[in-house]
Every structure is written in C-alpha cells, then in structure tokens.
Amino acid sequence: MKTATAGPRPAAPGRAGPAHRRDLLRQMLRIRRFEERCVELYSATKIRGFLHLYIGEEAVAAGVMAALEPADAVVSTYREHGHALARGVPMDAIMAEMYGKATGCSRGRGGSMHLFDRATNFHGGSAIVGGGLPLAVGLALADRMAGRSRVTACFFGDGAVAEGEFHECLNLAALWHLPVLFLCENNLYAMGTRIDRAQANTDLAARAATYGMTAHAVDGMDVRVVEKAARRAAAAVRATGSPYFLELRTYRFRAHSMYDPDRYRDKAEIARWQQRDPIDTLARRMISDGELDEPGLAQLNADVEAEVAASVTAAEQAPVEPVDQLTRFVYAEDEGLP
Amino acid sequence: MTAATATAQAELTYREAVREAIRDAMRRDERVFLMGEDVGPYGGAFGVSLGLLEEFGADRIRDTPLSESAFVGAGIGAAMGGMRPIVEIMTVNFSLLALDQILNNAATLLHMSGGQFGAPLVIRMTTGGGRQLAAQHSHSLEGWYAHIPGLRILAPATVADARGMLWPALRCPDPVLIFEHGSLYNATGSPAGHDSADITTAAIRRTGSDVTIVAYGGTLGTALNAADRLAEQSISADVIDLRVLRPLDDATIMESVRRTHRAVVVDEGWRSGSLSAEIAARITEQAFYDLDAPVGRVCSAEVPMPYAAHLEQAALPQPGAVVDAVRAVAA
C-alpha cells in the first residue's frame, strides 16, 4: 500500500533547555487564560452549552503534546480545550467554535465538547465517556495495516475506566499489538463521584497492566515529569508497535462543569492540590534556576492575554453559519467528499 | 427471478453472493478488510466468510473478541484512518452493544466535525426471525437504524442485490449498514453479473394496478407470495422492494400509489414507531388525495419473539395476513 509517511520531526532545538521550558510554560498559560476567559464569556452568556474546564490539569496536555510528532493522531475527550490548544489547533478557531461561529474549528456544529481539526490530526472532542477508545484502536489498526509508523494518543478520564469499552479496547489493542498510547487523566472524580466510590481497584495503571501492556502512573502536576514519561511512552509505542498506558495523576481546580455546584469536594482538598499548581510550579522553578525573571513572566502572561483577547475579538466579529447550511455534513456523499 | 436473467450467470445462494461480493471487493481494493466474531477459521456465524481466510490471510479476515463496541468502533476509527472496513455483526440484537459507536460516532462525526472527519465503513449484520431463535436473536431493528441521520441503510432482498450492493456501499463516503435477513441465506438466484447495484432507489419487483405492496428484505418474499394469491382473486398488486431504508426513495413509492390508489406496507418490525409507520405517514403527506382507502400495515406482533414455532409464525407477517390487509383496503 502506498501511503504518505511523515518524516521524522526535526529534533526540537534545546528541548531540554530554557527555551523549551518557556514554551511549556506558555502552552499552560494559554490554556489557563483561555479557559478563565471562557468562564467570563459563559457568565456573560456569550458561550452556552456545557463547559468542562481543564484548569489545574494543564501539565498533562502541554507535556504530552510536546512528546508527540505532528503526524501522530490524537483522540480527545469532552474536557479537551487544553488538548486542542497544546496540540496546535489555532486559538481563534477554538474560540470561534465556543461562540458557535462559522469560523469555528467544527464550523459551529461541535461546540466546547466537539473540537476537531484535521490539519493537526485532532480527532475530537467526544462527549461519550470512553467513546473515543475504540476510535483510537481503529486509527492504530489502520496505521498498522497501511504500514504507517505513527502513534495514536488517546486521552480519557478515570471515569472511562469504569466503562466496558475500556476493557474491550485495552484487550483489543494488546491482543493485536496496536500502537495506541492510552493516556488516562486521573483527576480523582468522575463528574461528582470520587474514584474510590466508583472503582473497585483505584490503581488504574495496575489494571491496565493486566492486559499485558506496559503501564505507569506518574505525577500529572509537573509538566517536566509528564513530558519525560510521555516521550518514553511514545518512543516505546513507536519501537514496539504495541500499546502503552500512562496514568497521569492530576486534579481539576474547578467543578466538573459550569452547572456543577461542587458540593462533593472538601475545600481543603482543593487548596492542597492548588499548592501544586502546574503553572506556578514550573514558573517558580524557572525563576529559581535563573531561566526566567518576574518581568519575563509578566511579559509571557501579557503575550498570552493578548492572544486570548484577539481570539475573542475575532470570534465576536466572525460570521455565523447561515441557517441554509444546517443540513450540510450529514452525508459526505452530498458534499462530494471522498 | 425470471428465466431470462438467470441465464446470465449460474445460480448462487444469497450466502454465496455475499461471499462473492466480499471477495471481489477485497481483490479490487487493498484497503478493504473484513472483521467480526468468528469470520476467520469458523467461516462466519452464517458461513458467509467460509474460505476467505485462506485466500486473504488473518490480517484482512480478522477475527475479533466478543467486544461489539470495540470492534465496531475500531472499524470506524480504521475508516477515519483511510481503510475501508467491512464489519460483520452476528445479529442486529448484538449490534445494540455497539449502538453507541454507530450512533454517537459513525453517524455523527462528519457533522460534529464540520465536514472534517467521516466514517466510510460498511457494517453488515443479520436481522429478522423465522428460525426459532427466540427473543435475543430474531428481531428486526433496522427501522431503528433508519431513524438516524448520517447512516445509509440497505436491505438486499435478492441474490443480485446481495451480490451487488457491497461494492457501491464501500465506495460511498458515508457509513453504510447492510441488513441481511437470516432466512435468505439459502435462497438461490442469479447475481446476473451485477457487481454494482443501485443503492439509492427502490425497485418494483412486480407490476400491478390495484394495490401497492411495500416490502423489503425478508418481507419481499412474503409480499410476492401474497401478490400471487391475490392474482388468483383478480387483484393485481404492484410490489415495491424498498432496498434502501434510509434515505427512502419516496418517488418510486408515490408513483406506484398514484397508479394503484391503495397501499399496504409489510414490515417485520413492530408496528409502533416502525418504518411502516414512516412510510404510511409519507404516503399520507404526499399522496393523500390519490388514495381510495387508508394505508394498511402488516407488522410483527408486539411481543418479544417467542421460540415455539407456531407462536413465532403467528408473530411474524405472513402472506395470508398481507392478502387480508389488501382485501381490506380494496374493499
């Protein structure tokens, strides 16, 4: 089969160096500031629907995406703003999608929970917990059959581990030796239910290991730890063509969604995790290591805020999809798509 | 099947016709592969894939675990990744374990992604009763799938369609579900050289002037049998084989009804909320003033399918009931 194989990505210059760490910090700030703005826009009723925030979990998206190649496929969840931004989906297109505008990355048909972007191999954006796992297995199967050597990175939360599809898909991926990087973002709560009230065995990596794949749990609050683990995992998937499971232990600082009064979590618990804020952690370390100073951090923040502001302006001014386009994209054949 | 068309090619069973269609597609397009439960060494639960493993190997004739959601979803993912999977599900009842993937992903992705990601796969499954397999192997739920925008639903009722519908379904960029009625696998007929059947329009299988009988899949034989009996009573029936359950070919139905002024729909699904209800409603919407009588319906009894032969036969649409329904609208 003739297939285009993406060439190796040029070695990121100084990916262990200060410029790379600054980029990780910038990616996490972009996610944080974008979502904080979304909260304001939600309260102002500019954005509607469900809004699931990623605040607190930024190290996972930034660290994992830094470890992936452009040709790799990403399958995401309903809490995917961070994944999409760190993957390189343009912020303008994401903000426009939040507004339901025609310039949105899903042309206003997906919204917050269904961000898609073909250019960056970002395959959504699924609001069915666990529903993306079979897609990731299938993408990896296609790669295997077509002779492509890419990784399919599949994000899901700890809640998805209770779904039957988790068992079905880990079994199938291990059985068929498919190159899937399973990325479980364990933020300890499936909606409002704490993990030990929903899972008989809360050691998720241990459960994945029973399918015969390498499985580790790592600190999901330290972007450098996440990136290192994700690089090692992606390299292993590339080398073996077999699945690999990473459990990223993290925490969301906000409620499950904007509708959630968050009555089920202890304030002290939230405060404890906020002490480990992934953005502060990295910024403080860079400052103490002399890689960044306070004016530099302020400048980085200002740049990010300007990007967010520009995305809001663009989304405000963007056209809506004409209603006469409502029934488009139901059938590809009607669109003349291959 | 008339003698004239049968001479074009030796007769095949419906089972062999599906197998030929798969073999042909796999030879024509290396992106095509078959996966499902027992499709490999076992040869398929209904014997459809017998021998294909030897020809194409275990990579392309791929046995799956009993994990409907995972392997149907993997088919969707593989289609997104550029392959052209044929996913076999043993029966429509088992497809319910994969309904999330079929509805929330296959049918939905293209629209949700603003046209960026489609799922061009084919999902084949058996449907229907008549083999004493009781309530968890015998239902006709294709009407439920026909409810869903984004899916294309085919129901080959003849050997020629069983042979000819797969290739165009695989060429179609949309997800296509093909429902094979379990009672048809041993039916024989001529594929008549067809490897590319029409998958957009209904077919008139018998022409008549007094009543339109609308059927599909397993009920086409029932309708044709009833039409024979009605002919003995000097009632001439047009018999439409829908072939495509979504999107429905309204034009063929309405053209017929405007000629005959009467219609009976034969559907093995349950009456409430069924495909027959949709067709009756469309006839009422589009051809009400051409009707000389209310649209009649013959459906399965509203019970889970029983095992005992006499009870099962009583639950399923029978030619006698179609004759009675036609006589009622023709009175």
Side-chain angles (χ1 to χ4, degrees):
Chain A
M1 178 162 299
K2 293 180 199 68
T3 48
T5 305
R9 190 186 201 181
R15 72 171 153 82
H20 180 66
R21 282 190 283 277
R22 181 188 289 263
D23 193 51
L24 291 175
L25 184 60
R26 191 177 68 88
Q27 291 297 356
M28 291 195 291
L29 281 167
R30 289 175 77 234
I31 299 167
R32 180 73 57 94
R33 298 285 101 86
F34 176 88
E35 289 204 325
E36 286 169 349
R37 194 62 201 273
C38 285
V39 171
E40 294 169 20
L41 294 165
Y42 196 89
S43 301
T45 71
K46 297 281 191 179
I47 294 175
R48 303 308 295 158
F50 278 143
L51 184 65
H52 305 95
L53 300 173
Y54 197 65
I55 289 173
E57 304 186 19
E58 295 93 341
V60 176
V64 169
M65 295 309 174
L68 298 180
E69 304 288 341
D72 292 338
V74 178
V75 175
S76 189
T77 70
Y78 58 90
R79 196 184 299 284
E80 86 271 35
H81 309 144
H83 303 152
L85 285 164
R87 181 57 181 170
V89 183
M91 188 184 286
D92 281 0
I94 300 173
M95 187 59 87
E97 189 61 33
M98 309 296 280
Y99 270 75
K101 295 293 184 77
T103 54
C105 60
S106 303
R107 295 185 68 139
R109 286 160 173 82
S112 164
M113 295 185 285
H114 307 297
L115 306 175
F116 289 85
D117 183 49
R118 183 172 270 289
T120 54
N121 293 313
F122 194 78
H123 291 72
S126 172
I128 305 295
V129 172
L133 280 94
L135 297 187
V137 169
L139 285 162
L141 174 61
D143 290 337
R144 162 62 44 77
M145 296 185 79
R148 291 183 294 255
S149 61
R150 68 172 181 173
V151 171
T152 294
C154 179
F155 289 91
F156 52 95
D158 50 288
V161 175
E163 296 272 1
E165 275 168 330
F166 172 81
H167 155 74
E168 292 190 16
C169 290
L170 266 66
N171 179 57
L172 202 57
L175 181 73
W176 288 354
H177 302 288
L178 298 176
V180 184
L181 174 51
F182 292 104
L183 297 156
C184 179
E185 299 183 303
N186 180 2
N187 66 17
L188 304 178
Y189 290 85
M191 299 190 290
T193 301
R194 201 177 60 223
I195 187 164
D196 60 349
R197 298 181 63 230
Q199 308 272 356
N201 178 356
T202 59
D203 188 343
L204 308 183
R207 286 165 66 181
T210 65
Y211 294 95
M213 67 182 77
T214 308
H216 295 300
V218 297
D219 179 8
M221 301 304 278
D222 185 333
V223 68
R224 297 170 315 156
V225 171
V226 172
E227 184 186 355
K228 191 175 170 193
R231 280 193 187 281
R232 192 173 55 219
V237 173
R238 256 180 257 286
T240 65
S242 293
Y244 195 109
F245 183 96
L246 267 189
E247 176 191 344
L248 303 136
R249 293 187 173 160
T250 184
Y251 198 81
R252 59 173 158 76
F253 295 168
R254 304 291 185 111
H256 167 67
S257 79
M258 291 297 286
Y259 284 107
D260 170 9
D262 204 357
R263 296 192 190 98
Y264 48 87
R265 298 195 300 185
D266 183 359
K267 297 272 184 295
E269 176 185 290
I270 299 171
R272 230 174 17 251
W273 279 90
Q274 282 174 330
Q275 296 294 310
R276 306 201 49 231
D277 186 313
I279 295 174
D280 290 348
T281 300
L282 180 61
R284 277 199 312 268
R285 187 179 294 265
M286 289 179 71
I287 288 169
S288 73
D289 288 351
E291 293 175 3
L292 187 69
D293 55 18
E294 292 294 347
L297 177 60
Q299 184 60 50
L300 200 55
N301 224 338
D303 292 347
V304 167
E305 280 176 358
E307 185 190 7
V308 173
S311 77
V312 173
T313 304
E316 290 277 353
Q317 293 169 354
V320 294
E321 186 87 330
V323 171
D324 66 12
Q325 301 289 298
L326 171 66
T327 58
R328 289 194 64 192
F329 311 121
V330 177
Y331 291 102
E333 201 162 65
D334 297 341
E335 302 289 330
L337 297 172
Chain B
M1 201 63 54
T2 66
T5 55
T7 56
Q9 190 172 332
E11 295 226 328
L12 295 179
T13 63
Y14 187 98
R15 171 184 293 106
E16 290 164 340
V18 177
R19 185 187 305 144
E20 274 307 302
I22 296 170
R23 177 180 283 131
D24 179 49
M26 291 187 61
R27 286 176 177 167
R28 290 165 82 157
D29 186 344
E30 61 187 355
R31 298 173 304 166
V32 175
F33 67 101
L34 174 72
M35 68 174 159
E37 293 151 355
D38 277 351
V39 299
Y42 189 97
F46 296 90
V48 166
S49 54
L50 206 62
L52 296 180
L53 175 66
E54 287 73 17
E55 182 173 353
F56 297 103
D59 205 40
R60 294 181 73 196
I61 304 295
R62 190 172 277 267
D63 267 329
T64 65
L66 310 186
S67 305
E68 282 81 0
S69 192
F71 73 73
V72 171
I76 297 164
M80 293 170 86
M83 300 299 283
R84 287 294 179 276
I86 304 168
V87 179
E88 176 176 310
I89 302 177
M90 281 193 191
T91 84
V92 67
N93 299 71
F94 303 169
S95 78
L96 302 186
L97 287 123
L99 183 55
D100 165 56
Q101 287 297 320
I102 296 171
L103 170 52
N104 284 318
N105 281 337
T108 310
L109 281 165
L110 183 76
H111 192 258
M112 250 174 12
S113 69
Q116 294 179 86
F117 294 101
L121 83 161
V122 170
I123 304 172
R124 297 172 37 242
M125 64 187 99
T126 54
T127 186
R131 293 162 295 147
Q132 286 196 260
L133 298 176
Q136 293 178 344
H137 285 74
S138 302
H139 289 139
S140 292
L141 305 178
E142 54 276 1
W144 289 6
Y145 287 102
H147 176 66
I148 302 170
L151 301 180
R152 294 184 183 274
I153 310 296
L154 307 179
T158 66
V159 169
D161 277 354
R163 175 67 184 84
M165 283 182 154
L166 182 66
W167 181 246
L170 284 165
R171 307 302 293 169
C172 177
D174 300 313
V176 181
L177 274 58
I178 302 180
F179 288 88
E180 299 161 9
H181 197 285
S183 68
L184 292 175
Y185 285 117
N186 290 327
T188 56
S190 169
H194 289 307
D195 60 3
S196 192
D198 182 350
I199 61 164
T200 57
T201 61
I204 296 179
R205 299 296 186 193
R206 177 184 178 119
T207 53
S209 53
D210 298 327
V211 64
T212 297
I213 305 177
V214 179
Y216 69 89
T219 62
L220 176 63
T222 310
L224 289 169
N225 182 311
D228 285 344
R229 297 194 201 179
L230 288 162
E232 292 164 8
Q233 301 171 36
S234 301
I235 296 175
S236 156
D238 228 29
V239 177
I240 293 177
D241 172 6
L242 289 174
R243 305 169 81 228
V244 186
L245 309 188
R246 184 182 187 101
L248 280 168
D249 173 12
D250 290 8
T252 296
I253 299 170
M254 301 315 153
E255 183 279 327
S256 173
V257 170
R258 290 192 178 107
R259 278 190 287 106
T260 65
H261 309 292
R262 292 175 171 87
V264 168
V265 187
V266 190
D267 181 358
E268 205 177 303
W270 294 298
R271 177 184 304 255
S272 303
S274 63
L275 194 62
S276 72
E278 176 65 26
I279 293 164
R282 289 191 189 204
I283 292 171
T284 306
E285 287 167 345
Q286 298 174 45
F288 181 76
Y289 294 107
D290 293 292
L291 287 174
D292 286 344
V295 177
R297 287 196 279 162
V298 180
C299 302
S300 284
E302 306 237 341
V303 296
M305 197 62 70
Y307 158 72
H310 68 293
L311 294 177
E312 183 183 42
Q313 289 303 307
L316 291 166
Q318 301 295 341
V322 180
V323 169
D324 291 346
V326 168
R327 292 188 63 86
V329 301

